[in-house]
Each structure stands twice: as C-alpha cells, then as structure tokens.
Amino acid sequence: MYNSIVLVKQVPDTANISGKVMKDDGTVNRAKLPAIFNHEDKIALEFALQVKDKFGGKVTAVTMGPPRAADVLRECLYMGADEAYCVTDRKFAGADTLATSYVLSEAIKKIGNYDFVFAGRQAIDGDTAQVGPQTAEKLNIPQITYAEEILDIKDGKIKIRRKIDGGFEIVECRLPVLITVLKGAAEPRPFSAKRVMAFKNAKSLMEIEKLVEGNSLLYADDLLQEYKSRKLFIETLTTDDLDVDLERCGIKGSPTKVHKVESVVLAGGNHIKIEPTRDGISGLIDSLMEDRIF
Amino acid sequence: MKHNSEVWVFIEQRSGKPADVSFELLSKGRKLADNMGGKLKSIVIGDKVKDIAVETFNFGADECYLIEHPDLHYYRTILYSRILDELIKKEIPRIVLFGATVTGRDLAPRVASNTKSGLTADCTDLKISDVNYLNKPFKDLLLQIRPAFGGNIIATIITPDVPVQMATVREGVMEMHKVDKPKEVKIKEIPFKPEETDNLLVVLEQHREESKVNLKAAPIIVSGGYGLGSKANFNLLYELAHAVGGEVAGSRAAVDAGFITSERQVGQTGVTVRPKLYIAVGISGAIQHRAGMQEANKIIAINTDPDAPIFEISHYGIVGDAAEVIPKFIEAYKHKLK
C-alpha cells in the first residue's frame, strides 16, 4: 500500500489566447481566459492512480489557488482521487514559486502520511518547472523530475525512467519522494460516469459558504456537516488551518517582483510581398542569390 | 545581509563533456560582472573534470571553484544542491546563472528554495540596471527578462529584496565568445564530504545519444508551425530543406501537435538560432517563437493568413498555401542551379 499526494493546478488556457484577452492598456484580462486543468498535473494524477490500482493505498489531490480552483479538484475526484484539498486564502495570492512551494509543503505536512508526492513537470501559465523541486526541498525529501515511466516499486524504493538532456536514465530512490511527470508519460483516464454523478456536488468550504449567503434558510455549520457526512466536502485549508509564517506567503513571501510589463507591439511590417506564383518565387530566389544567402 | 558583486555560473557537464549553454552563460556573465565591477566565477562539479575548469577561463572566468569526487560522477540533485547551497550561503554571490536544461531546471529551484533566492526561468535577456521599485532606489539589479502569458507580454522580473539573484537561460539564447586574453587560471579546489542521505537516490543506468540535429549550426532552417496541419505536410519541409541544404525545425505548437520532435523546437523553450535564412511555414509568430529566430539574417514567412504576426518581422512574405508554394519554390530553386 502506498499513499500519494498529487499537486494539481488550475491554469489559464494560454494556448488559446484570443485578441480580446489583452486590454487596451496592455494588461491581461484574466476573466477572458478559460481556466483549465494543467495537463501534466493530470498525468501526475494518472501515475498516482496507477500506483493505487496496483498496490492499493490512497490518492489525495491538492491544489492552491482561488476558490474557483475547486473545479480541478472535482475533476480529480471524477478520475478517481479519494480525497481533495483546496488550499486557498487571500493571503496566499500573488505568490511566486518560492511562496507557493512553501504553502504547499506546509499543506502536505498537514495531510501527512505519504509515500509519494506527484506533480506535473510544469504548468503552462509560467512554464517554470520550479514548484516541484522547491516543494521537495522544503519537505526535505529527494526529487525525481522529468519522470517518463515507473518501472518498479518494491522494498520501499521506486525505480523510474527519467528524461535527461540527450537521453534518459534509470534511477532508484528511497521513499518518500517527490516526482514530477513529463507530458506523454501516461494517458490520463477519462472521468468515470459513476464518479461524476457521485461528486458533481462536492463543494469546498467557500462554495458552501456561498450557498448560505444566497439563502437565509441555510446555516453554514449544518450544511457543512451534511456535506461532510455525504462525503462531498472538499477539505479546505486556509491560513487558520496551516502553521504558516505569513511573511513567507503570497506577495510578501515572493522574492520575484514584476518590475515592468510590456505589451508586445509589433513594428510595422516592412517586408517585401512576394506573389505565390512561379515568377514571384523565382524573383525571390534571385534576390537571395544576390545576397549570397543561397 | 551583505553580498558581494560576483556572478557565478554553474558549469554543467555530461559524462565529462561541458554543455555549450554553460560557456554561453560565462560570456554573458562576463558582461554582467563587468557592468557591476565584480568577478565572474565558474562552478565546476563532477569527477575528473579539471579540464573543464581550465576551459572556463577561455570564456572569461576570473576564478573557478572545482569540486571533484567519484560520487559526483552522475548529476544527482541532493549532492549537487548541497554543494551549491553551502557555497552560496557562505559567499553570497550577487548572481547565479544556470542553463535551462533538464539538469539546470532540476537543480536551480532546489538551490533557490534552500537559499531563499529569487529565481526566474527561461530568461531571454539579462541586464544590469539601477532600478526604482516602490519608490526605493536599488543599485545594479539584475533585470530578468522573459515573455509571459502566452507571449502576449514581455515581463521584466527583479528580485530587489534578496541578496542572491538567480536565473536560468536556454541553450543558444546567449552568444558564446572566447575572450582575447584569458585570465590566469586560478582554481580553488573545494573538498566534498559525502553524507548518508547521498544514496537515497542512485543512478542505475544512463543512456545518451549525441544529437544528430544541430540547429544552431545550420545556415538555412526551414521551420513549420501548427498551420501546416499535419505531420505529412512536414514532408514538404524536409524536401525543401534537402533542396536548399538546410535543417528542418518547428514551433512549439508543431511539437505539441506531434508533427516534429522536441529537439527541433525553435523558440523560448526550445533552441535559439541565428541562421543566414529562416523560412517560417505556417507559423503564426508568437513572441516565444520569435525570441528564438528573430536574429536570423533573412526571414521568409509563408502563411495563408495575411495578418499573421510572423510577417511583421519577416523580410519577405508570401501569402499562400504551403502545399502550393513550397513545390514551386523547390522547382524554381532547382531551375536556377541548372
């Protein structure tokens, strides 16, 4: 039996940015960006579920983000996660990778009892690949990044094939370990229809509080108990629940600051237009030959 | 905390061979150190890697820290990061640079976490500048410049409140220069002390193949994007590249779509190239892609969309379908050679 914690992130779909996402002043209009489940994190969850299928144990999904990030946790439950934790607090907002890894490592310590921490190699909104190693460092456990395949788990050790520059290597590591998973390493399983029916009403603390706000007949404590008893409660961790130093959270705990943001303005196109005809292209090749390019 | 104005470059080696990106970073680091009036130090870790330590002086190092031990033959996170953590905490360099390779991206964040340093990934430019941040003046900060948010913005990141500023940079982004007059070789050997935790992880096997693709050295690159629509259409690019004596490359979108392998990816998260001629086919021209090819001597864009941003940085633009334009191109080129 091996227990896994999986770190997942809700990200703006940066691959599908339309012109409308940029405001006139050159800043990003986040509200216009569709939010999606970071793909490599889904593969990390698949790795954890495969470990569970083979050896038994528990899979716990964790995300840090605004309350709406609970969406990806519901998706984790649909895929097969046993439990989900939403780490959310205004004081966590604006965190860079250092502050994010600090809060996540504290959440992982709180959840405890794990053999593996799985995460995607990187998230598409920043592509930094930093949160995995930084979380491992704070947990004081080894890390295996760029994992491609789990080859074996036995005697408290895992054998993994990982990508390296220009090839691959096979490493063996004692548990517990944090593993970041490369895209293409596995195909995330589809949602189970049964689990979608079971968990579509799962809610985090903030979501339950919102229900209460809109309805004077409901009492937060009663509702919370009901969700808990029906196993539809997404555990919620705020600064009240974690033993965190606020100086190390959110913007305060983030050494990297954005000094300047420039919207990408393209210089006027001075290019020479070539007709897509034989003559046009022939003329182009002449110019390139004159310039000794060919 | 007091810090000095040193620039350190982690020199990556693979089975005793130094990575190009490390020498590129030394060349950039030399400029940054000169701008701050500081020293450039190379950090070489491995087993029997003294030759590499000596070589770093040809790229501008003032001094080298060499850590050699049989246990350091393979890169392993725990050992390498412990060495750097201890050195950095003791000497507090102002800047530490790493290649944004698999190794650099495994090591740099671990070290940044331990030393509580700021770290910016995949920078496309680095500069030293005085900065006013929140009405406070800071002298000689490292400006860490990178595209962000799907390439719609270019962000300048600073880490004003921490002593050590760290950045990773992809291979090819900085240019490699040997210095005219290398400094006298000054290597400080630092002993390595094995610890029990070192063997929590062991490397059982390693397999590497010399990459057959060398985009950086190719005089002509024919590059395809998502707009080509299929892997089969990439064959057109191979035909064109074969005809004109070039290499084939692709954008990240083309790599993600499986049209071409990632070792041929040009752009911020791929390789940066400076060929004589870059032919961009079906590439829209996001900033991340442009960051990897805009210094080409001549750029030809072929795209069905006349409004594609790629045209804005091109010298020649052809609005048309690749399936029609490229065969005509090959035919016309062959005709000229006759």
Side-chain angles (χ1 to χ4, degrees):
Chain A
M1 284 229 302
Y2 296 102
N3 294 332
S4 299
I5 292 174
V6 187
L7 304 178
V8 298
K9 187 178 185 187
Q10 188 180 48
V11 290
D13 188 0
T14 51
N16 291 307
I17 286 181
S18 67
K20 289 189 191 93
V21 170
M22 300 306 291
K23 294 187 207 159
D24 289 340
D25 62 1
T27 58
V28 178
N29 188 356
R30 282 172 187 259
K32 289 266 184 217
L33 281 170
I36 55 169
F37 195 139
N38 185 54
H39 184 67
E40 285 187 334
D41 299 344
K42 233 180 208 178
I43 301 172
L45 175 58
E46 177 61 32
F47 263 49
L49 292 171
Q50 287 178 9
V51 170
K52 181 189 164 176
D53 290 346
K54 207 162 167 189
F55 301 97
K58 197 165 85 174
V59 173
T60 306
V62 179
T63 194
M64 178 173 121
R68 74 164 176 170
D71 288 346
V72 293
L73 293 175
R74 273 183 287 274
E75 292 190 27
C76 291
L77 294 169
Y78 301 162
M79 272 176 70
D82 300 291
E83 266 183 39
Y85 282 76
C86 191
V87 182
T88 184
D89 198 302
R90 278 180 202 283
K91 295 192 180 85
F92 299 153
D96 71 0
T97 64
L98 197 74
T100 300
S101 62
Y102 172 64
V103 174
L104 283 175
S105 66
E106 289 303 321
I108 292 168
K109 285 178 195 167
K110 171 109 184 170
I111 296 164
N113 190 24
Y114 60 90
D115 301 290
F116 298 108
V117 179
F118 287 104
R121 171 193 49 160
Q122 62 192 35
I124 59 165
D125 53 348
D127 285 333
T128 71
Q130 287 169 194
V131 169
Q134 293 186 322
T135 305
E137 192 278 329
K138 292 185 175 75
L139 294 170
N140 200 21
I141 60 173
Q143 68 195 43
I144 301 172
T145 55
Y146 286 79
E148 292 180 326
E149 192 184 353
I150 296 175
L151 300 172
D152 197 13
I153 305 173
K154 69 171 178 214
D155 306 329
K157 286 179 185 172
I158 185 165
K159 205 190 274 184
I160 278 201
R161 177 186 149 125
R162 72 182 285 263
K163 179 187 150 86
I164 55 174
D165 297 287
F168 68 91
E169 66 182 11
I170 292 168
V171 298
E172 189 176 62
C173 187
R174 197 161 274 290
L175 310 184
V177 57
L178 182 144
I179 296 167
T180 76
V181 179
L182 203 55
K183 74 178 161 208
E187 189 57 43
R189 64 193 62 190
F191 299 158
S192 133
K194 231 171 157 178
R195 294 187 69 93
V196 172
M197 289 310 289
F199 293 108
K200 64 181 182 192
N201 290 320
K203 285 194 169 29
S204 70
L205 183 63
M206 278 70 187
E207 288 170 328
I208 291 169
E209 284 172 352
K210 219 166 181 183
L211 281 183
V212 177
E213 268 171 38
N215 189 334
S216 58
L217 294 175
L218 294 174
Y219 293 97
D221 286 349
D222 296 349
L223 205 57
L224 185 59
Q225 281 317 315
E226 195 186 327
Y227 272 85
K228 276 188 177 168
S229 65
R230 288 164 59 197
K231 297 209 178 303
L232 289 175
F233 182 55
I234 293 175
E235 293 285 342
T236 309
L237 299 176
T238 68
T239 45
D240 294 339
D241 309 293
L242 294 173
D243 183 20
V244 288
D245 173 0
L246 291 179
E247 292 297 312
R248 294 180 68 185
C249 300
I251 289 181
K252 268 190 182 172
S254 300
T256 58
K257 314 282 182 197
V258 178
H259 170 50
K260 212 166 59 179
V261 169
E262 285 162 281
S263 160
V264 175
V265 184
L266 294 170
N270 295 325
H271 68 275
I272 299 165
K273 290 189 177 64
I274 305 289
E275 287 305 313
T277 59
R278 218 198 127 121
D279 284 353
I281 292 167
S282 188
L284 167 62
I285 291 171
D286 283 338
S287 322
L288 292 170
M289 282 179 163
E290 264 167 49
D291 290 342
R292 297 178 184 277
I293 301 285
F294 282 145
Chain B
M1 211 187 294
K2 255 182 86 77
H3 50 77
N4 59 39
S5 47
E6 286 181 1
V7 179
W8 289 10
V9 176
F10 167 70
I11 307 297
E12 185 175 337
Q13 50 86 20
R14 300 161 192 169
S15 316
K17 270 188 71 184
D20 279 357
V21 66
S22 301
F23 292 152
E24 293 163 9
L25 288 177
L26 279 174
S27 298
K28 184 69 184 183
R30 181 70 264 164
K31 286 182 198 154
L32 299 176
D34 289 343
N35 288 342
M36 293 192 299
K39 273 189 189 163
L40 176 67
K41 284 184 180 167
S42 59
I43 315 296
V44 180
I45 306 175
D47 184 26
K48 303 191 185 78
V49 286
K50 196 160 184 180
D51 290 355
I52 297 173
V54 172
E55 182 71 0
T56 62
F57 288 85
N58 289 329
F59 295 90
D62 293 306
E63 242 178 90
C64 171
Y65 287 157
L66 174 64
I67 302 95
E68 286 185 305
H69 194 280
D71 290 357
L72 300 170
H73 177 70
Y74 290 120
Y75 165 76
R76 283 186 288 164
T77 317
I78 293 177
L79 290 75
Y80 276 54
S81 63
R82 185 172 74 243
I83 291 168
L84 284 173
D85 292 344
E86 285 172 6
L87 274 178
I88 288 168
K89 283 179 185 163
K90 196 168 136 220
E91 309 218 358
I92 315 174
R94 193 70 182 108
I95 295 172
V96 185
L97 304 178
F98 300 80
T101 58
V102 172
T103 296
R105 285 156 76 60
D106 184 88
L107 176 63
R110 185 105 186 180
V111 174
S113 175
N114 187 273
T115 59
K116 299 192 175 66
S117 307
L119 171 63
T120 303
D122 298 336
C123 295
T124 50
D125 201 3
L126 297 169
K127 286 179 193 160
I128 301 291
S129 172
D130 293 343
V131 169
N132 258 304
Y133 184 71
L134 302 179
N135 295 324
K136 253 168 72 185
F138 294 89
K139 203 175 147 36
D140 286 346
L141 280 191
L142 179 68
L143 304 187
Q144 303 149 48
I145 298 159
R146 76 184 303 253
F149 246 92
N152 288 271
I153 53 176
I154 294 180
T156 300
I157 311 291
I158 51 172
T159 45
D161 302 320
V162 288
V164 186
Q165 313 167 92
M166 295 187 181
T168 69
V169 179
R170 293 266 167 177
E171 182 176 311
V173 171
M174 305 299 174
E175 282 185 272
M176 194 196 295
H177 298 287
K178 281 200 175 181
V179 290
D180 295 335
K181 284 185 193 142
K183 303 269 169 55
E184 191 192 333
V185 172
K186 199 171 154 194
I187 296 172
K188 187 172 173 189
E189 293 190 27
I190 295 176
F192 172 74
K193 293 183 243 32
E195 283 185 13
E196 228 168 88
T197 52
D198 289 351
N199 292 319
L200 286 175
L201 181 145
V202 289
V203 177
L204 302 177
E205 299 168 38
Q206 216 174 56
H207 301 270
R208 258 200 191 102
E209 243 177 82
E210 266 314 287
S211 174
K212 289 175 209 87
V213 190
N214 188 356
L215 290 181
K216 280 196 296 176
I220 297 173
I221 291 175
V222 183
S223 190
Y226 189 69
L228 270 173
S230 74
K231 199 169 177 173
N233 282 345
F234 258 76
N235 289 336
L236 284 170
L237 304 191
Y238 284 99
E239 283 170 34
L240 176 57
H242 182 69
V244 301
E247 278 284 359
V248 176
S251 68
R252 177 174 177 162
V255 172
D256 284 347
F259 298 166
I260 189 161
T261 56
S262 63
E263 59 180 356
R264 291 180 185 268
Q265 185 189 323
V266 165
Q268 186 202 2
T269 54
V271 185
T272 296
V273 295
R274 297 176 178 81
K276 275 200 299 186
L277 176 64
Y278 191 90
I279 306 177
V281 188
I283 291 177
S284 63
I287 178 78
Q288 287 99 328
H289 187 72
R290 300 202 303 267
M293 47 66 78
Q294 60 199 359
E295 285 179 43
N297 198 339
K298 286 275 187 276
I299 297 166
I300 302 174
I302 301 171
N303 209 301
T304 50
D305 174 9
D307 297 323
I310 190 76
F311 286 116
E312 309 290 338
I313 57 154
S314 299
H315 302 91
Y316 302 100
I318 304 175
V319 178
D321 187 343
E324 286 161 30
V325 174
I326 291 178
K328 281 183 196 157
F329 200 112
I330 296 171
E331 194 196 324
Y333 181 80
K334 284 185 174 163
H335 187 73
K336 300 276 177 199
L337 291 187
K338 276 181 191 154

